[in-house]
Amino acid sequence: MCRDSFDVIILAGGRSSRFGTDKCEFEIDGKTMLRRISEKFESPIIVTDKPRPVEGIHVIDSHKSGPLKAIEMGLEYVKEKRVFVTGCDFPFLSPKLVQNLCSKPEEVATTMYDGKIQPLLSCYSTNFLRSAIRRSRSLREIVYKAPSVYIAGYMEVYMWDPSLLTLLNVNRVSDLRDVKKSYWQTSICSNT
């Protein structure tokens, strides 16, 4: 469990239409994807469209209003100056990477995958996010509006997670196909 001077918002709603079933309740090694990520943090703020059996501060978004509105609802519970925002579909997230990103002074500290900014693997200045979210159409737009952005490169991510699985956004069951092999190889190598 990770605790530092930041809060964590986990988005755990949506239709999971590409996945075919509720992603957050899908089990990997006996734990749901939501449980896998929520257990990595102390008192995460979980914004969901239905009750979920995991520890944390639950915010029920009964209107299923999309990620920006969900984050805005979650921000009402944020007490720290920085907030890490992610989704339940990053089940291999490295808490060390999160701590590293949230230690940066920039308004947004983020990662890239396949040449694209990952706004749901990002740490934000709480004040900046609160002001920008009301006048933006997407999280990516918020990152682009930020007056200062830190982007962790692959080598930096590799330092905190040699498997790079922390960057894996699971949108389809097939996204998990090669995970076991990579996950176990990294676990064995890091334990020797």
Side-chain angles (χ1 to χ4, degrees), residues 126-162:
T126 302
N127 287 338
F128 168 71
L129 186 56
R130 281 185 174 131
S131 68
I133 204 162
R134 291 185 187 98
R135 45 190 169 74
S136 301
R137 293 174 301 211
S138 71
L139 263 180
R140 190 163 274 120
E141 182 181 324
I142 290 171
V143 174
Y144 294 144
K145 285 182 178 180
S148 59
V149 177
Y150 179 88
I151 301 172
Y154 280 115
M155 289 309 292
E156 187 174 357
V157 174
Y158 180 82
M159 286 180 3
W160 306 114
D161 176 14

Side-chain angles (χ1 to χ4, degrees), residues 104-183:
K104 305 299 180 198
E106 286 79 6
E107 298 297 324
V108 179
T110 189
T111 58
M112 290 188 83
Y113 185 70
D114 283 343
K116 295 179 186 169
I117 295 287
Q118 297 298 305
L120 285 178
L121 276 180
S122 300
C123 195
Y124 300 84
S125 154
T126 302
N127 287 338
F128 168 71
L129 186 56
R130 281 185 174 131
S131 68
I133 204 162
R134 291 185 187 98
R135 45 190 169 74
S136 301
R137 293 174 301 211
S138 71
L139 263 180
R140 190 163 274 120
E141 182 181 324
I142 290 171
V143 174
Y144 294 144
K145 285 182 178 180
S148 59
V149 177
Y150 179 88
I151 301 172
Y154 280 115
M155 289 309 292
E156 187 174 357
V157 174
Y158 180 82
M159 286 180 3
W160 306 114
D161 176 14
S163 72
L164 296 178
L165 287 177
T166 199
L167 298 173
L168 180 64
N169 181 357
V170 180
N171 285 310
R172 296 171 180 81
V173 174
S174 62
D175 293 338
L176 294 167
R177 185 174 336 154
D178 297 326
V179 167
K180 282 283 195 194
K181 181 179 172 189
S182 176
Y183 180 71

Side-chain angles (χ1 to χ4, degrees), residues 55-71:
E55 293 293 318
I57 300 166
H58 288 254
V59 180
I60 304 295
D61 178 6
S62 59
H63 303 294
K64 299 181 182 179
S65 49
L68 286 183
K69 188 64 178 168
I71 292 167

Side-chain angles (χ1 to χ4, degrees), residues 17-34:
S17 54
R18 290 178 285 178
F19 199 79
T21 188
D22 185 349
K23 282 192 272 195
C24 294
E25 296 302 318
F26 186 82
E27 289 189 6
I28 299 171
D29 290 338
K31 284 187 185 181
T32 66
M33 290 205 304
L34 179 57

Side-chain angles (χ1 to χ4, degrees), residues 33-80:
M33 290 205 304
L34 179 57
R35 182 170 303 280
R36 288 179 69 85
I37 194 163
S38 66
E39 286 180 348
K40 296 176 185 194
F41 305 101
E42 186 178 302
S43 301
I45 300 159
I46 301 166
V47 185
T48 180
D49 54 0
K50 62 182 96 147
R52 304 274 188 185
V54 293
E55 293 293 318
I57 300 166
H58 288 254
V59 180
I60 304 295
D61 178 6
S62 59
H63 303 294
K64 299 181 182 179
S65 49
L68 286 183
K69 188 64 178 168
I71 292 167
E72 192 173 5
M73 292 172 69
L75 281 170
E76 293 178 28
Y77 298 86
V78 170
K79 295 181 174 97
E80 299 294 340

